[in-house]
């Protein structure tokens, strides 16, 4: 099958949850099909490195990369945000509408016999009119309207809050209409599928969960740093920035009071200034910035924290940490949609006092920590990317060739896909 794969972000290098899912699903598809990747780049200093592009070309038939036009100028971005107030479309749909990418999509469809279009995330439905007659699958890494609504709820600046509210209303309508135009829509959890349905989205839904690379992420046996707590993830994304600031301003002071010798590490790009400044003065706070390999930092930590309050979808950082046998404390939103059980393979807390209390429990109770670590590792083994790629392949097959199955074949052909 010839697949045209559209992405809002180049999937390599593997520097965040978005790139991890896109990369593994793309690579799994390329093992079975002839895949042409057309993608935007959002972090050109990493994604446009020749060695990273060359790696994608080792398994893709072709790779075409484009800069997000509005990311190239702050003035242009600000103007677009203002002008979008007078548009019926949400800003994210306008942001990714590039004439250069549109022309490339037309060229590929004109010159190649494309069987199916994989649209990786809702904003790229801006190009629907270019392939309306082809079989097409939309993959929702999260429910965009829910993510935006939670951001709206958490925002304290009234002007930003007003803008977010307007965008949410547009995005909800856009999301509902776009989903109905696809032959198949993939959600990453039953929770997300239900949320899409509750918002009036009427389509053929499948659930293909997020996974983890259990060969890459595994315990390394490095010595642990005593009383160490780790956050990892890029902090230039608003969901993660809100999470680390919530941890720093509301959880960390309580945690420090309960456990004065706690050592907190923030690993990832763009740490907030107040955290970076604190790290310059306090040896118990470490800020690394971007790192090529997250595994040594995860392996050395006693506890991984996921204090996320905004967002949708499921957090790959939790699955990756579990694959490395880590004890994790998360908010309910942080572990939403994952098959986790509070007190068995993760601890869940939604207020600063309870969150800090559970972190301290794990720091001081080695037996409890080892129990959670073992259970987390066991759960991660059930979430290998190979399994998720097989589920995605079944979605491709069913969408591209939707001939009805015989009753006797139905179970064998669709086993593993959660569909509605």
């Amino acid at each position: 099958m010839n697949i045209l794969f559209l992405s809002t972000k180049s999937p390599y290098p593997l520097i965040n949850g978005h790139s991890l899912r896109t990369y593994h699903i793309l690579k799994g598809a390329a093992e079975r099909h002839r895949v042409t990747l057309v993608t935007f780049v959002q972090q050109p200093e990493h994604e446009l490195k020749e060695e990273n592009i060359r790696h994608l070309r080792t398994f893709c038939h072709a790779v075409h990369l484009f800069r997000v036009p509005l990311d190239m100028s702050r003035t242009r971005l600000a103007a677009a945000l203002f002008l979008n107030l007078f548009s019926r479309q949400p800003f994210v749909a306008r942001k990714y509408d590039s004439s250069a990418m549109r022309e490339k999509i037309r060229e590929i469809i004109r010159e190649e016999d494309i069987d199916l279009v994989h649209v990786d995330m809702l904003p790229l439905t801006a190009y629907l009119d270019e392939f309306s007659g082809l079989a097409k699958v939309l993959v929702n890494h999260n429910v965009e309207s829910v993510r935006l609504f939670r951001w709206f709820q958490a925002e304290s600046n009234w002007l930003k809050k007003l803008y977010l509210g307007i965008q949410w209303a547009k995005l909800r309508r856009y999301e509902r209409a776009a989903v109905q135009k696809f032959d198949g829509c993939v959600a990453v959890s039953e929770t997300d599928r239900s949320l899409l349905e509750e918002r009036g989205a009427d389509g053929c839904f499948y659930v293909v969960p997020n996974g983890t690379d259990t060969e890459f992420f595994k315990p390394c046996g490095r010595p642990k740093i005593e009383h160490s707590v780790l956050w990892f993830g890029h902090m230039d994304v608003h969901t993660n920035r809100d999470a680390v600031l919530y941890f720093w301003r509301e959880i960390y002071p309580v945690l420090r009071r309960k456990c004065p010798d706690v050592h907190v590490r923030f690993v990832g790009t763009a740490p907030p200034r107040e955290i970076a400044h604190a790290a310059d003065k306090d040896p118990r706070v470490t800020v690394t910035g971007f790192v090529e390999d997250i595994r040594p930092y995860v392996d050395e930590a006693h506890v991984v924290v996921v204090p996320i309050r905004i967002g949708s979808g499921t957090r790959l950082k939790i699955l990756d940490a579990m694959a490395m046998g880590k004890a994790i404390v998360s908010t309910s939103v942080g572990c939403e949609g994952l098959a986790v059980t509070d007190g068995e393979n993760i601890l869940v807390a939604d207020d600063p006092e309870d969150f800090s209390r559970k972190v301290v429990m794990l720091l001081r109770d080695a037996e409890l920590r080892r129990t959670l670590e073992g259970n987390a590792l066991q759960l991660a083994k059930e979430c290998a990317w190979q399994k998720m790629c097989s589920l995605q392949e079944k979605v491709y097959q069913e969408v591209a060739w939707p001939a009805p199955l015989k009753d006797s074949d139905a179970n064998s052909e669709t086993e593993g896909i959660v569909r509605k």
Side-chain angles (χ1 to χ4, degrees):
M1 187 168 14
N2 285 339
I3 296 178
L4 173 59
F5 195 112
L6 307 180
S7 177
T8 58
K9 175 179 172 55
S10 180
Y12 199 78
L14 307 177
I15 53 180
N16 57 27
H18 182 157
S19 56
L20 278 164
R21 180 181 176 98
T22 302
Y23 174 84
H24 286 288
I25 294 298
L26 171 69
K27 196 168 189 294
E31 289 172 358
R32 300 174 173 90
H33 307 288
R34 187 173 182 262
V35 178
T36 298
L37 173 65
V38 179
T39 181
F40 285 107
V41 296
Q42 296 190 26
Q43 293 177 292
E45 68 275 19
H46 303 302
E47 296 169 43
L48 289 180
K49 284 184 177 179
E50 184 55 39
E51 61 266 31
N52 293 332
I53 300 172
R54 192 162 53 242
H55 175 75
L56 290 171
R57 287 175 175 154
T58 62
F59 55 86
C60 289
H61 165 66
V63 177
H64 306 283
L65 301 101
F66 297 88
R67 296 286 297 271
V68 180
L70 295 182
D71 283 353
M72 298 172 70
S73 164
R74 285 190 175 186
T75 303
R76 190 175 176 185
L77 176 60
L81 285 166
F82 173 73
L83 291 174
N84 187 255
L85 289 170
F86 308 99
S87 171
R88 287 183 56 82
Q89 285 194 323
F91 175 72
V92 291
R94 304 292 295 173
K95 176 181 178 180
Y96 291 98
D97 193 349
S98 158
S99 58
M101 178 177 270
R102 191 174 287 277
E103 180 54 40
K104 177 56 67 174
I105 291 171
R106 290 174 183 167
E107 177 188 319
I108 292 168
I109 292 174
R110 187 169 59 244
E111 297 181 359
E112 300 186 34
D113 187 17
I114 298 296
D115 298 294
L116 180 142
V117 182
H118 174 123
V119 177
D120 211 52
M121 297 190 68
L122 181 73
L124 296 182
T125 58
Y127 299 99
L128 261 170
D129 56 331
E130 304 297 344
F131 46 84
S132 58
L134 296 176
K136 47 197 170 293
V137 173
L138 172 65
V139 175
N140 301 276
H141 286 222
N142 47 56
V143 181
E144 293 289 347
S145 61
V146 172
R147 181 185 61 80
L148 192 60
F149 183 68
R150 288 173 174 167
W151 185 4
F152 162 79
Q153 287 180 306
E155 182 57 57
S156 57
N157 181 298
W158 71 267
L159 193 58
K160 286 184 181 179
K161 195 177 188 75
L162 176 61
Y163 191 87
L164 289 170
I166 294 169
Q167 287 297 320
W168 170 74
K170 293 180 183 182
L171 185 58
R172 184 173 178 174
R173 290 193 300 269
Y174 182 84
E175 185 176 61
R176 182 169 59 244
V179 164
Q180 297 174 13
K181 297 176 182 178
F182 283 83
D183 304 292
C185 292
V186 173
V188 299
S189 70
E190 277 291 345
T191 300
D192 277 16
R193 182 190 63 75
S194 297
L195 287 169
L196 283 167
E197 290 183 331
E198 287 170 9
R199 276 147 185 77
D202 181 19
C204 184
F205 290 97
Y206 302 85
V207 176
V208 178
N210 280 323
T212 184
D213 186 344
T214 53
E215 291 300 313
F216 184 81
F217 290 106
K218 56 187 177 182
C220 306
R222 297 172 70 93
K224 303 298 180 286
I225 297 173
E226 283 300 312
H227 298 107
S228 56
V229 174
L230 173 72
W231 156 272
F232 68 95
H234 294 277
M235 292 164 271
D236 50 357
V237 180
H238 72 272
T239 52
N240 286 350
R241 183 176 178 82
D242 176 81
V244 294
L245 287 175
Y246 168 57
F247 178 84
W248 180 252
R249 294 171 179 172
E250 301 187 40
I251 297 171
Y252 178 67
V254 183
L255 177 60
R256 182 75 170 268
R257 188 173 68 248
K258 292 176 181 289
C259 184
D261 54 351
V262 64
H263 183 182
V264 182
R265 295 171 113 182
F266 296 90
V267 179
T269 56
R273 188 174 301 174
E274 62 191 89
I275 299 177
H277 285 173
D280 290 337
K281 302 174 183 177
D282 190 342
R284 290 168 294 187
V285 179
T286 301
V287 170
T288 68
F290 174 77
V291 298
E292 292 287 347
D293 190 348
I294 193 66
R295 291 173 297 176
Y297 300 91
V298 178
D299 205 43
E300 291 171 352
H302 271 151
V303 179
V304 171
V305 292
V306 187
I308 288 176
R309 303 184 297 177
I310 300 172
S312 177
T314 58
R315 247 53 57 189
L316 282 88
K317 67 171 84 265
I318 288 181
L319 294 175
D320 294 341
M322 284 183 161
M324 295 194 68
K326 289 289 109 178
I328 302 165
V329 181
S330 172
T331 56
S332 298
V333 171
C335 61
E336 184 178 59
L338 295 172
V340 296
T341 302
D342 184 20
E344 180 180 321
N345 42 40
I346 196 169
L347 296 184
V348 180
D350 286 316
D351 68 78
E353 186 71 33
D354 193 32
F355 199 108
S356 60
R357 181 180 65 83
K358 290 181 176 178
V359 171
V360 173
M361 280 172 54
L362 290 173
L363 292 175
R364 291 179 175 168
D365 189 337
E367 184 176 349
L368 173 62
R369 191 169 67 243
R370 282 193 293 268
T371 299
L372 256 68
E373 290 170 347
N375 292 340
L377 186 57
Q378 190 59 41
L379 177 61
K381 290 177 181 178
E382 300 171 11
C383 302
W385 276 118
Q386 294 92 324
K387 178 181 178 181
M388 307 313 163
C389 289
S390 295
L391 295 180
Q392 184 68 50
E393 172 62 17
K394 290 175 182 178
V395 175
Y396 290 156
Q397 297 293 333
E398 193 166 318
V399 166
W401 293 291
L405 298 170
K406 298 177 183 179
D407 290 344
S408 60
D409 294 336
N411 291 336
S412 62
E413 291 293 327
T414 60
E415 182 181 1
I417 296 180
V418 181
R419 178 189 178 194
K420 186 167 182 177

